[in-house]
Amino acid sequence: MGDTIFGKIVRREIPADIVYENDDVLAFRDLNPQAPVHVLFVPKRAIATLNDATAADAELLGKLLLAAASYAKQIGVDKEGYRTVINCNEQGGQTVFHLHVHLLAGRRMTWPPG
């Protein structure tokens, strides 16, 4: 598992407000939320960026998205809508190099996102 802040959260070496967990995915509230609901879904097995994912990771990538959708339903934002985002590398906005999916909800999302 990567030696990033997210790897440390997965290993429970540092605290986080964990809201969802299964065998493959851990989700916790973002410390710098950009919406009333801003949760990060990370694979427990670290992949640095989306560029580093391979065909062998397809099932895990699907599990990340399904976990986000499941959580959105659990908290009741699925009907009004939500946004999922994967940033890749510096210019794509990625600041922690452990692949993660942002779930944003609780306000109207604009386009383009910026």
Side-chain angles (χ1 to χ4, degrees), residues 6-87:
F6 293 170
K8 291 175 182 178
I9 290 170
V10 169
R11 292 188 302 271
R12 307 300 206 275
E13 294 172 1
I14 59 175
D17 186 1
I18 296 170
V19 297
Y20 180 95
E21 183 173 15
N22 64 29
D23 290 341
D24 301 297
V25 176
L26 185 76
F28 48 90
R29 295 185 200 286
D30 193 296
L31 288 178
N32 185 26
Q34 302 301 303
V37 175
H38 190 169
V39 175
L40 304 177
F41 290 78
V42 303
K44 290 183 177 179
R45 182 175 53 78
I47 302 169
T49 74
L50 189 56
N51 289 338
D52 297 303
T54 67
D57 298 312
E59 184 176 358
L60 180 58
L61 296 175
K63 287 179 178 183
L64 278 173
L65 292 175
L66 291 172
S70 175
Y71 183 72
K73 289 175 189 167
Q74 178 184 325
I75 64 168
V77 299
D78 57 315
K79 299 287 190 258
E80 287 187 355
Y82 57 93
R83 178 172 288 168
T84 55
V85 177
I86 298 173
N87 299 321

